[in-house]
Amino acid sequence: MARRVLKSEDGTIMSDHATLIRGRIMNSAKELLAKEGYSKTTIRKIVEHSGVLTGSIYYFFKNKEDIFRAILLELVRDCINKINKNCCDESPLFKYAAVCQVELKVLADYRIVRETYLEGYNSTIIFEGMVAQFVEMARGLFDDTEYECSDEGYYQNTLMVKGAMHACLSEMFFRREVDSARTRESLLRLALGVFGAKEAEINGIVEKIRSMNDTWERIGKEMVEHPLVK
Protein backbone atom coordinates (compact mmCIF):
# COMPACT_ATOMS: atom_id res chain seq x y z
CA MET A 1 0.00 0.00 0.00
CA ALA A 2 1.36 3.44 -0.93
CA ARG A 3 2.49 5.69 1.87
CA ARG A 4 0.10 8.55 2.54
CA VAL A 5 1.75 11.87 1.76
CA LEU A 6 1.60 14.28 4.69
CA LYS A 7 1.64 18.05 4.43
CA SER A 8 2.39 20.76 6.98
CA GLU A 9 -0.04 23.56 7.84
CA ASP A 10 1.27 25.69 4.94
CA GLY A 11 0.77 22.86 2.45
CA THR A 12 4.45 21.86 2.18
CA ILE A 13 5.00 18.13 1.73
CA MET A 14 6.77 16.69 4.77
CA SER A 15 10.04 14.82 4.41
CA ASP A 16 10.24 11.17 5.50
CA HIS A 17 12.13 12.26 8.62
CA ALA A 18 9.51 14.87 9.53
CA THR A 19 6.73 12.35 8.95
CA LEU A 20 8.53 9.87 11.22
CA ILE A 21 8.95 12.42 14.03
CA ARG A 22 5.34 13.57 13.76
CA GLY A 23 4.20 9.94 13.88
CA ARG A 24 6.32 9.26 16.97
CA ILE A 25 4.74 12.23 18.74
CA MET A 26 1.21 11.11 17.86
CA ASN A 27 1.79 7.48 18.84
CA SER A 28 3.25 8.50 22.20
CA ALA A 29 0.42 10.93 22.86
CA LYS A 30 -2.17 8.30 21.90
CA GLU A 31 -0.62 5.74 24.24
CA LEU A 32 -0.58 8.24 27.10
CA LEU A 33 -4.16 9.32 26.41
CA ALA A 34 -5.32 5.70 26.42
CA LYS A 35 -3.60 5.05 29.76
CA GLU A 36 -3.97 8.32 31.65
CA GLY A 37 -6.69 10.34 29.94
CA TYR A 38 -6.66 13.85 28.50
CA SER A 39 -6.14 15.94 31.62
CA LYS A 40 -3.11 13.95 32.84
CA THR A 41 -1.44 13.82 29.43
CA THR A 42 0.87 16.81 29.23
CA ILE A 43 3.38 18.05 26.67
CA ARG A 44 6.12 17.25 29.18
CA LYS A 45 4.95 13.63 29.44
CA ILE A 46 4.78 13.37 25.66
CA VAL A 47 8.38 14.65 25.48
CA GLU A 48 9.54 12.07 28.03
CA HIS A 49 7.61 9.22 26.42
CA SER A 50 8.48 9.97 22.79
CA GLY A 51 12.06 11.19 23.21
CA VAL A 52 11.20 14.12 20.91
CA LEU A 53 12.35 17.55 22.04
CA THR A 54 9.77 20.13 23.12
CA GLY A 55 10.74 22.45 20.27
CA SER A 56 10.13 19.70 17.72
CA ILE A 57 6.68 19.01 19.16
CA TYR A 58 5.74 22.67 18.85
CA TYR A 59 7.06 22.67 15.28
CA PHE A 60 4.31 20.23 14.32
CA PHE A 61 1.56 21.10 16.81
CA LYS A 62 0.34 24.30 18.45
CA ASN A 63 -0.53 22.67 21.77
CA LYS A 64 -1.88 19.50 23.36
CA GLU A 65 -5.35 20.21 21.99
CA ASP A 66 -3.91 20.29 18.47
CA ILE A 67 -2.20 16.92 19.02
CA PHE A 68 -5.44 15.41 20.27
CA ARG A 69 -7.32 16.80 17.28
CA ALA A 70 -4.77 15.23 14.90
CA ILE A 71 -5.08 11.87 16.69
CA LEU A 72 -8.87 11.86 16.45
CA LEU A 73 -8.76 12.68 12.75
CA GLU A 74 -6.23 9.92 12.14
CA LEU A 75 -8.44 7.48 14.06
CA VAL A 76 -11.38 8.35 11.82
CA ARG A 77 -9.26 7.66 8.73
CA ASP A 78 -8.11 4.38 10.25
CA CYS A 79 -11.68 3.40 11.09
CA ILE A 80 -12.87 4.15 7.54
CA ASN A 81 -10.05 2.02 6.11
CA LYS A 82 -10.93 -0.88 8.40
CA ILE A 83 -14.63 -0.63 7.54
CA ASN A 84 -13.81 -0.62 3.83
CA LYS A 85 -11.64 -3.71 4.30
CA ASN A 86 -14.19 -5.63 6.37
CA CYS A 87 -17.34 -4.43 4.58
CA CYS A 88 -16.14 -3.84 1.03
CA ASP A 89 -19.37 -5.14 -0.54
CA GLU A 90 -21.70 -3.14 1.68
CA SER A 91 -23.57 0.01 0.68
CA PRO A 92 -22.32 3.54 1.44
CA LEU A 93 -25.13 3.90 3.97
CA PHE A 94 -24.01 0.76 5.80
CA LYS A 95 -20.38 1.94 5.90
CA TYR A 96 -21.43 5.32 7.29
CA ALA A 97 -23.47 3.64 10.02
CA ALA A 98 -20.62 1.22 10.73
CA VAL A 99 -18.16 4.06 11.41
CA CYS A 100 -20.66 5.58 13.84
CA GLN A 101 -21.17 2.18 15.48
CA VAL A 102 -17.43 1.60 15.98
CA GLU A 103 -17.07 4.99 17.66
CA LEU A 104 -20.03 4.23 19.93
CA LYS A 105 -18.63 0.77 20.72
CA VAL A 106 -15.22 2.15 21.71
CA LEU A 107 -16.83 4.79 23.92
CA ALA A 108 -19.01 2.19 25.62
CA ASP A 109 -16.17 -0.31 26.19
CA TYR A 110 -13.26 1.91 27.29
CA ARG A 111 -13.79 4.24 30.23
CA ILE A 112 -10.54 6.17 29.76
CA VAL A 113 -11.30 6.71 26.07
CA ARG A 114 -14.80 7.82 27.02
CA GLU A 115 -13.41 10.43 29.40
CA THR A 116 -10.82 11.55 26.86
CA TYR A 117 -13.38 11.90 24.06
CA LEU A 118 -15.58 14.01 26.28
CA GLU A 119 -12.75 16.55 26.44
CA GLY A 120 -12.63 16.52 22.66
CA TYR A 121 -16.35 16.98 22.18
CA ASN A 122 -16.29 19.85 24.66
CA SER A 123 -13.53 21.64 22.73
CA THR A 124 -14.86 23.84 19.91
CA ILE A 125 -11.61 23.51 17.95
CA ILE A 126 -11.51 19.71 18.20
CA PHE A 127 -15.24 19.29 17.60
CA GLU A 128 -15.08 21.48 14.50
CA GLY A 129 -12.25 19.31 13.18
CA MET A 130 -14.26 16.15 13.82
CA VAL A 131 -17.25 17.60 11.97
CA ALA A 132 -15.02 18.52 9.02
CA GLN A 133 -13.59 14.98 8.93
CA PHE A 134 -17.05 13.41 8.94
CA VAL A 135 -18.16 15.80 6.19
CA GLU A 136 -15.31 14.51 4.02
CA MET A 137 -16.20 10.93 4.89
CA ALA A 138 -19.85 11.49 3.93
CA ARG A 139 -18.84 13.20 0.70
CA GLY A 140 -16.55 10.30 -0.21
CA LEU A 141 -19.32 7.79 0.45
CA PHE A 142 -22.36 9.59 -0.97
CA ASP A 143 -21.13 11.66 -3.91
CA ASP A 144 -22.58 10.34 -7.19
CA THR A 145 -25.24 8.35 -5.33
CA GLU A 146 -28.89 9.13 -4.63
CA TYR A 147 -27.81 10.34 -1.17
CA GLU A 148 -25.49 13.07 -2.49
CA CYS A 149 -25.89 16.46 -0.79
CA SER A 150 -24.81 20.02 -1.36
CA ASP A 151 -21.80 21.22 0.64
CA GLU A 152 -24.17 22.88 3.10
CA GLY A 153 -26.27 19.71 3.28
CA TYR A 154 -23.27 17.57 4.13
CA TYR A 155 -22.27 20.05 6.82
CA GLN A 156 -25.72 20.38 8.40
CA ASN A 157 -26.34 16.62 8.40
CA THR A 158 -22.92 15.92 9.88
CA LEU A 159 -23.32 18.58 12.54
CA MET A 160 -26.60 16.95 13.58
CA VAL A 161 -25.05 13.47 13.71
CA LYS A 162 -21.97 14.56 15.67
CA GLY A 163 -24.17 16.58 18.03
CA ALA A 164 -26.21 13.44 18.66
CA MET A 165 -22.96 11.52 19.21
CA HIS A 166 -22.01 14.06 21.87
CA ALA A 167 -25.38 13.47 23.53
CA CYS A 168 -24.80 9.69 23.52
CA LEU A 169 -21.38 10.21 25.05
CA SER A 170 -22.71 12.55 27.72
CA GLU A 171 -25.45 10.08 28.61
CA MET A 172 -22.77 7.52 29.51
CA PHE A 173 -21.91 9.77 32.46
CA PHE A 174 -25.47 10.30 33.67
CA ARG A 175 -26.32 9.27 37.24
CA ARG A 176 -29.78 8.09 36.28
CA GLU A 177 -30.19 4.60 34.88
CA VAL A 178 -30.63 4.72 31.10
CA ASP A 179 -30.97 2.26 28.24
CA SER A 180 -27.80 3.36 26.44
CA ALA A 181 -28.07 0.60 23.82
CA ARG A 182 -31.42 2.00 22.75
CA THR A 183 -29.97 5.52 22.59
CA ARG A 184 -27.08 4.31 20.40
CA GLU A 185 -29.48 2.58 18.04
CA SER A 186 -31.52 5.77 17.83
CA LEU A 187 -28.37 7.62 16.79
CA LEU A 188 -27.75 5.16 13.95
CA ARG A 189 -31.33 5.63 12.75
CA LEU A 190 -30.90 9.40 12.90
CA ALA A 191 -27.58 9.25 11.03
CA LEU A 192 -29.13 7.21 8.23
CA GLY A 193 -32.35 9.21 8.17
CA VAL A 194 -30.73 12.63 7.73
CA PHE A 195 -29.08 11.37 4.55
CA GLY A 196 -32.41 10.25 3.13
CA ALA A 197 -32.45 6.53 3.87
CA LYS A 198 -35.92 5.01 3.80
CA GLU A 199 -37.35 3.17 6.79
CA ALA A 200 -36.91 -0.28 5.25
CA GLU A 201 -33.24 0.47 4.49
CA ILE A 202 -32.68 1.78 7.99
CA ASN A 203 -34.25 -1.27 9.59
CA GLY A 204 -32.13 -3.64 7.49
CA ILE A 205 -28.88 -1.81 8.17
CA VAL A 206 -29.51 -1.47 11.91
CA GLU A 207 -30.33 -5.18 12.15
CA LYS A 208 -27.12 -6.16 10.34
CA ILE A 209 -25.05 -3.72 12.38
CA ARG A 210 -26.46 -5.34 15.52
CA SER A 211 -25.54 -8.84 14.25
CA MET A 212 -21.89 -7.87 13.63
CA ASN A 213 -21.03 -6.76 17.16
CA ASP A 214 -17.89 -8.94 17.25
CA THR A 215 -16.55 -7.16 14.17
CA TRP A 216 -17.04 -3.72 15.67
CA GLU A 217 -15.48 -4.87 18.95
CA ARG A 218 -12.40 -6.18 17.12
CA ILE A 219 -11.99 -3.02 15.04
CA GLY A 220 -12.39 -0.85 18.14
CA LYS A 221 -9.81 -2.90 20.06
CA GLU A 222 -7.31 -2.54 17.20
CA MET A 223 -7.85 1.22 17.06
CA VAL A 224 -7.32 1.64 20.80
CA GLU A 225 -4.39 -0.73 21.27
CA HIS A 226 -2.40 -0.57 18.02
CA PRO A 227 0.03 2.21 17.06
CA LEU A 228 -1.64 5.03 15.19
CA VAL A 229 1.16 5.63 12.70
CA LYS A 230 3.42 2.77 11.67
Side-chain angles (χ1 to χ4, degrees), residues 14-73:
M14 291 187 190
S15 67
D16 288 345
H17 177 70
T19 300
L20 179 66
I21 296 302
R22 184 177 184 273
R24 188 188 302 172
I25 295 166
M26 290 176 62
N27 280 333
S28 292
K30 176 178 178 285
E31 187 173 336
L32 288 168
L33 287 165
K35 289 180 178 179
E36 302 188 17
Y38 186 85
S39 61
K40 293 183 179 179
T41 299
T42 63
I43 294 293
R44 181 176 179 177
K45 286 186 177 180
I46 295 172
V47 168
E48 294 172 352
H49 189 275
S50 67
V52 176
L53 297 176
T54 305
S56 296
I57 291 179
Y58 283 114
Y59 175 80
F60 292 105
F61 303 101
K62 298 174 184 177
N63 47 38
K64 183 178 75 171
E65 190 176 54
D66 195 32
I67 298 173
F68 186 40
R69 174 180 173 274
I71 289 172
L72 290 180
L73 299 188

Coordinates of all heavy atoms in Angstrom, one line a residue, residues 14-73:
M14 N 5.8 17.0 3.7 CA 6.8 16.7 4.8 C 7.8 15.7 4.3 O 7.5 14.8 3.5 CB 6.1 16.1 6.0 CG 5.2 17.1 6.8 SD 4.6 16.3 8.3 CE 3.4 17.5 8.8
S15 N 9.0 15.8 4.7 CA 10.0 14.8 4.4 C 9.7 13.5 5.2 O 8.9 13.5 6.1 CB 11.4 15.3 4.8 OG 11.5 15.5 6.2
D16 N 10.4 12.4 4.8 CA 10.2 11.2 5.5 C 10.6 11.3 7.0 O 10.0 10.7 7.8 CB 11.1 10.1 4.8 CG 10.5 9.6 3.5 OD1 9.4 10.0 3.2 OD2 11.3 9.0 2.7
H17 N 11.7 12.1 7.2 CA 12.1 12.3 8.6 C 11.1 13.0 9.4 O 10.8 12.6 10.6 CB 13.5 13.0 8.7 CG 13.9 13.3 10.0 ND1 14.4 12.3 10.9 CD2 14.0 14.5 10.7 CE1 14.7 12.9 12.0 NE2 14.5 14.2 12.0
A18 N 10.5 14.1 8.8 CA 9.5 14.9 9.5 C 8.3 14.0 9.8 O 7.7 14.1 10.9 CB 9.2 16.1 8.7
T19 N 7.9 13.2 8.8 CA 6.7 12.4 9.0 C 7.0 11.4 10.1 O 6.1 11.1 10.9 CB 6.4 11.6 7.6 OG1 6.2 12.6 6.6 CG2 5.2 10.7 7.8
L20 N 8.2 10.8 10.2 CA 8.5 9.9 11.2 C 8.4 10.5 12.6 O 7.9 9.9 13.5 CB 9.9 9.3 11.0 CG 10.5 8.3 12.0 CD1 9.7 7.0 11.9 CD2 12.0 8.0 11.8
I21 N 9.0 11.7 12.7 CA 8.9 12.4 14.0 C 7.5 12.7 14.4 O 7.1 12.5 15.6 CB 9.8 13.7 14.0 CG1 11.3 13.4 13.7 CG2 9.6 14.5 15.3 CD1 11.9 12.5 14.8
R22 N 6.7 13.2 13.5 CA 5.3 13.6 13.8 C 4.6 12.3 14.2 O 3.8 12.3 15.1 CB 4.7 14.2 12.5 CG 3.2 14.6 12.8 CD 2.7 15.3 11.5 NE 1.4 15.9 11.7 CZ 0.2 15.2 11.5 NH1 0.3 13.9 11.2 NH2 -0.9 15.7 11.7
G23 N 4.8 11.2 13.5 CA 4.2 9.9 13.9 C 4.6 9.5 15.3 O 3.8 9.0 16.0
R24 N 5.9 9.7 15.6 CA 6.3 9.3 17.0 C 5.6 10.1 18.1 O 5.2 9.6 19.1 CB 7.8 9.4 17.1 CG 8.4 8.9 18.4 CD 9.9 9.3 18.6 NE 10.7 8.8 17.5 CZ 12.0 9.1 17.3 NH1 12.5 10.0 18.2 NH2 12.6 8.7 16.3
I25 N 5.4 11.4 17.8 CA 4.7 12.2 18.7 C 3.3 11.8 18.9 O 2.8 11.6 20.0 CB 4.8 13.7 18.3 CG1 6.2 14.2 18.2 CG2 3.9 14.6 19.1 CD1 6.3 15.6 17.5
M26 N 2.6 11.5 17.8 CA 1.2 11.1 17.9 C 1.0 9.7 18.5 O 0.1 9.6 19.3 CB 0.6 11.1 16.5 CG 0.5 12.5 15.9 SD -0.2 12.5 14.2 CE -1.8 11.8 14.4
N27 N 1.9 8.8 18.2 CA 1.8 7.5 18.8 C 2.0 7.6 20.3 O 1.3 6.9 21.1 CB 2.8 6.5 18.2 CG 2.3 5.9 16.9 OD1 1.1 5.9 16.6 ND2 3.3 5.6 16.0
S28 N 3.0 8.3 20.8 CA 3.3 8.5 22.2 C 2.1 9.2 22.9 O 1.7 8.7 24.0 CB 4.5 9.3 22.4 OG 5.7 8.6 22.0
A29 N 1.6 10.2 22.3 CA 0.4 10.9 22.9 C -0.8 10.0 22.9 O -1.5 10.0 23.9 CB 0.1 12.2 22.0
K30 N -1.0 9.2 21.9 CA -2.2 8.3 21.9 C -2.0 7.3 23.0 O -3.0 7.0 23.7 CB -2.3 7.6 20.5 CG -3.4 6.6 20.5 CD -3.5 5.9 19.1 CE -4.5 4.9 19.0 NZ -4.1 3.6 19.7
E31 N -0.8 6.7 23.2 CA -0.6 5.7 24.2 C -0.9 6.3 25.6 O -1.5 5.7 26.5 CB 0.8 5.2 24.1 CG 1.1 4.0 25.1 CD 2.4 3.4 24.8 OE1 2.9 3.5 23.7 OE2 2.9 2.7 25.8
L32 N -0.4 7.6 25.8 CA -0.6 8.2 27.1 C -2.0 8.6 27.3 O -2.6 8.4 28.4 CB 0.2 9.5 27.1 CG 1.8 9.4 27.3 CD1 2.5 10.7 27.0 CD2 2.1 8.9 28.7
L33 N -2.7 9.0 26.3 CA -4.2 9.3 26.4 C -5.0 8.1 26.8 O -5.9 8.1 27.6 CB -4.7 9.9 25.1 CG -4.2 11.3 24.8 CD1 -4.5 11.6 23.3 CD2 -5.0 12.3 25.7
A34 N -4.6 6.9 26.2 CA -5.3 5.7 26.4 C -5.1 5.2 27.8 O -5.9 4.5 28.4 CB -4.9 4.6 25.4
K35 N -3.9 5.5 28.4 CA -3.6 5.0 29.8 C -4.0 6.0 30.9 O -4.4 5.6 31.9 CB -2.1 4.8 29.9 CG -1.6 3.5 29.1 CD -0.1 3.4 29.2 CE 0.4 2.1 28.5 NZ 1.8 1.9 28.6
E36 N -3.8 7.3 30.6 CA -4.0 8.3 31.7 C -5.1 9.3 31.4 O -5.5 10.0 32.4 CB -2.6 9.1 31.8 CG -1.5 8.2 32.1 CD -0.2 9.0 32.5 OE1 -0.3 10.2 32.7 OE2 0.9 8.4 32.4
G37 N -5.6 9.4 30.2 CA -6.7 10.3 29.9 C -6.1 11.7 29.5 O -4.9 11.9 29.5
Y38 N -7.1 12.6 29.1 CA -6.7 13.8 28.5 C -6.0 14.8 29.5 O -5.0 15.4 29.3 CB -7.9 14.5 27.9 CG -7.6 15.8 27.1 CD1 -7.2 15.7 25.8 CD2 -7.7 17.0 27.7 CE1 -6.9 16.9 25.1 CE2 -7.4 18.2 27.0 CZ -7.0 18.1 25.7 OH -6.8 19.3 25.0
S39 N -6.6 14.9 30.7 CA -6.1 15.9 31.6 C -4.7 15.6 32.2 O -4.0 16.5 32.4 CB -7.1 16.1 32.8 OG -7.3 14.9 33.5
K40 N -4.4 14.3 32.3 CA -3.1 14.0 32.8 C -2.0 13.8 31.8 O -0.8 13.7 32.1 CB -3.2 12.6 33.6 CG -4.1 12.7 34.9 CD -4.1 11.4 35.6 CE -4.9 11.5 36.9 NZ -5.0 10.2 37.6
T41 N -2.4 13.9 30.5 CA -1.4 13.8 29.4 C -1.0 15.2 29.1 O -1.7 16.1 28.7 CB -2.1 13.2 28.2 OG1 -2.5 11.9 28.4 CG2 -1.1 13.2 27.0
T42 N 0.3 15.5 29.4 CA 0.9 16.8 29.2 C 1.9 16.8 28.1 O 2.4 15.7 27.8 CB 1.5 17.3 30.5 OG1 2.6 16.4 30.9 CG2 0.5 17.3 31.7
I43 N 2.3 18.0 27.6 CA 3.4 18.0 26.7 C 4.7 17.5 27.3 O 5.4 16.8 26.6 CB 3.6 19.5 26.2 CG1 2.4 20.0 25.4 CG2 4.9 19.6 25.4 CD1 2.2 19.4 24.1
R44 N 4.9 17.8 28.5 CA 6.1 17.3 29.2 C 6.1 15.7 29.2 O 7.2 15.1 28.9 CB 6.2 17.8 30.6 CG 7.4 17.3 31.4 CD 7.5 17.9 32.8 NE 8.7 17.5 33.5 CZ 9.0 17.9 34.7 NH1 8.2 18.8 35.3 NH2 10.0 17.4 35.3
K45 N 5.0 15.1 29.5 CA 5.0 13.6 29.4 C 5.1 13.1 28.0 O 5.8 12.0 27.8 CB 3.6 13.1 30.0 CG 3.5 13.3 31.5 CD 2.3 12.7 32.1 CE 2.2 12.7 33.6 NZ 1.0 12.1 34.1
I46 N 4.6 13.8 27.1 CA 4.8 13.4 25.7 C 6.3 13.5 25.3 O 6.8 12.6 24.6 CB 3.9 14.2 24.7 CG1 2.4 14.0 25.0 CG2 4.2 13.9 23.3 CD1 1.5 14.9 24.3
V47 N 6.9 14.5 25.7 CA 8.4 14.6 25.5 C 9.1 13.5 26.1 O 10.0 12.8 25.4 CB 8.9 16.0 26.1 CG1 10.4 16.0 26.1 CG2 8.4 17.2 25.3
E48 N 8.8 13.2 27.3 CA 9.5 12.1 28.0 C 9.3 10.7 27.4 O 10.2 9.9 27.3 CB 9.1 12.1 29.5 CG 9.6 13.3 30.3 CD 9.0 13.3 31.7 OE1 8.1 12.5 32.0 OE2 9.4 14.2 32.5
H49 N 8.0 10.5 27.0 CA 7.6 9.2 26.4 C 8.1 9.0 25.0 O 8.5 7.9 24.6 CB 6.1 9.1 26.4 CG 5.6 7.8 26.1 ND1 5.4 7.3 24.8 CD2 5.2 6.7 26.9 CE1 4.9 6.1 24.8 NE2 4.8 5.7 26.1
S50 N 8.1 10.1 24.2 CA 8.5 10.0 22.8 C 10.0 10.2 22.5 O 10.5 9.7 21.5 CB 7.7 11.0 22.0 OG 8.1 12.3 22.3
G51 N 10.7 10.9 23.4 CA 12.1 11.2 23.2 C 12.2 12.3 22.2 O 13.4 12.6 21.8
V52 N 11.2 13.0 21.8 CA 11.2 14.1 20.9 C 11.3 15.4 21.7 O 10.6 15.6 22.7 CB 9.9 14.1 20.0 CG1 9.9 15.4 19.1 CG2 9.9 12.9 19.2
L53 N 12.2 16.3 21.3 CA 12.3 17.6 22.0 C 11.1 18.4 22.0 O 10.3 18.4 21.0 CB 13.5 18.3 21.5 CG 14.9 17.6 21.6 CD1 16.0 18.5 20.9 CD2 15.3 17.4 23.0
T54 N 10.9 19.3 23.0 CA 9.8 20.1 23.1 C 9.6 21.0 21.9 O 8.5 21.2 21.3 CB 9.9 21.0 24.4 OG1 10.0 20.2 25.5 CG2 8.6 21.9 24.5
G55 N 10.8 21.6 21.4 CA 10.7 22.5 20.3 C 10.2 21.7 19.0 O 9.5 22.3 18.2
S56 N 10.6 20.5 18.9 CA 10.1 19.7 17.7 C 8.6 19.4 17.8 O 7.9 19.5 16.8 CB 10.9 18.4 17.6 OG 12.3 18.6 17.4
I57 N 8.1 19.2 19.0 CA 6.7 19.0 19.2 C 5.9 20.3 18.7 O 4.9 20.2 18.0 CB 6.3 18.6 20.6 CG1 6.9 17.2 20.9 CG2 4.8 18.7 20.9 CD1 6.6 16.7 22.3
Y58 N 6.4 21.4 19.2 CA 5.7 22.7 18.8 C 5.9 23.1 17.4 O 5.2 23.9 16.9 CB 6.2 23.8 19.8 CG 5.5 23.7 21.1 CD1 6.3 23.4 22.3 CD2 4.1 23.8 21.3 CE1 5.7 23.3 23.5 CE2 3.5 23.7 22.5 CZ 4.3 23.5 23.6 OH 3.7 23.4 24.9
Y59 N 6.9 22.5 16.7 CA 7.1 22.7 15.3 C 5.9 22.1 14.5 O 5.4 22.6 13.5 CB 8.4 22.0 14.8 CG 8.6 22.1 13.3 CD1 9.0 23.3 12.7 CD2 8.3 21.0 12.5 CE1 9.2 23.4 11.3 CE2 8.4 21.1 11.1 CZ 8.9 22.2 10.5 OH 9.1 22.3 9.2
F60 N 5.4 20.9 15.0 CA 4.3 20.2 14.3 C 2.9 20.6 14.9 O 1.9 20.6 14.1 CB 4.5 18.7 14.4 CG 5.7 18.2 13.7 CD1 6.8 17.8 14.4 CD2 5.6 18.1 12.3 CE1 7.9 17.3 13.7 CE2 6.7 17.6 11.6 CZ 7.9 17.2 12.3
F61 N 2.9 20.9 16.2 CA 1.6 21.1 16.8 C 1.6 22.4 17.7 O 2.6 22.7 18.3 CB 1.2 19.9 17.7 CG 1.2 18.6 17.0 CD1 2.3 17.7 17.1 CD2 0.1 18.2 16.2 CE1 2.2 16.5 16.4 CE2 0.1 17.0 15.5 CZ 1.1 16.2 15.6
K62 N 0.4 23.1 17.7 CA 0.3 24.3 18.4 C 0.3 24.0 19.9 O 0.9 24.8 20.7 CB -0.9 25.1 18.0 CG -0.9 25.5 16.6 CD -2.3 26.1 16.2 CE -2.3 26.4 14.7 NZ -3.6 27.0 14.3
N63 N -0.4 23.0 20.4 CA -0.5 22.7 21.8 C -1.1 21.2 21.9 O -1.2 20.5 20.9 CB -1.5 23.7 22.4 CG -2.8 23.9 21.6 OD1 -3.3 22.9 21.0 ND2 -3.2 25.1 21.5
K64 N -1.4 20.9 23.1 CA -1.9 19.5 23.4 C -3.2 19.3 22.6 O -3.5 18.2 22.1 CB -2.1 19.3 24.9 CG -2.5 17.8 25.2 CD -2.6 17.6 26.7 CE -3.8 18.3 27.3 NZ -4.1 17.9 28.7
E65 N -4.0 20.3 22.7 CA -5.3 20.2 22.0 C -5.2 19.9 20.5 O -5.9 19.1 19.9 CB -6.1 21.5 22.2 CG -7.6 21.5 21.7 CD -8.3 22.8 22.1 OE1 -7.8 23.8 21.6 OE2 -9.3 22.7 22.7
D66 N -4.2 20.5 19.9 CA -3.9 20.3 18.5 C -3.4 18.9 18.2 O -3.8 18.2 17.2 CB -2.9 21.3 18.0 CG -2.8 21.4 16.5 OD1 -3.8 21.2 15.8 OD2 -1.7 21.7 16.0
I67 N -2.6 18.3 19.1 CA -2.2 16.9 19.0 C -3.4 16.0 19.1 O -3.6 15.1 18.3 CB -1.2 16.6 20.1 CG1 0.1 17.4 20.0 CG2 -0.8 15.1 20.0 CD1 1.1 17.3 21.1
F68 N -4.3 16.3 20.1 CA -5.4 15.4 20.3 C -6.4 15.5 19.0 O -6.9 14.4 18.6 CB -6.2 15.9 21.5 CG -7.4 15.0 21.9 CD1 -7.3 13.6 21.8 CD2 -8.5 15.6 22.4 CE1 -8.4 12.8 22.2 CE2 -9.6 14.8 22.7 CZ -9.5 13.4 22.6
R69 N -6.5 16.6 18.5 CA -7.3 16.8 17.3 C -6.7 16.0 16.1 O -7.5 15.2 15.4 CB -7.4 18.3 16.9 CG -8.1 18.5 15.5 CD -8.1 20.0 15.2 NE -8.5 20.3 13.9 CZ -7.8 20.3 12.8 NH1 -6.5 20.1 12.9 NH2 -8.3 20.6 11.7
A70 N -5.4 16.0 16.0 CA -4.8 15.2 14.9 C -5.0 13.7 15.1 O -5.2 13.0 14.2 CB -3.3 15.6 14.8
I71 N -4.9 13.3 16.4 CA -5.1 11.9 16.7 C -6.5 11.4 16.4 O -6.7 10.4 15.7 CB -4.8 11.6 18.2 CG1 -3.3 11.7 18.4 CG2 -5.2 10.2 18.6 CD1 -2.9 11.7 19.9
L72 N -7.5 12.2 16.7 CA -8.9 11.9 16.5 C -9.1 11.8 14.9 O -9.8 10.9 14.5 CB -9.8 12.9 17.1 CG -9.9 12.9 18.6 CD1 -10.9 13.9 19.1 CD2 -10.3 11.5 19.1
L73 N -8.6 12.7 14.2 CA -8.8 12.7 12.8 C -8.1 11.5 12.1 O -8.6 10.8 11.2 CB -8.2 14.0 12.1 CG -8.9 15.3 12.6 CD1 -8.4 16.4 11.8 CD2 -10.4 15.2 12.5

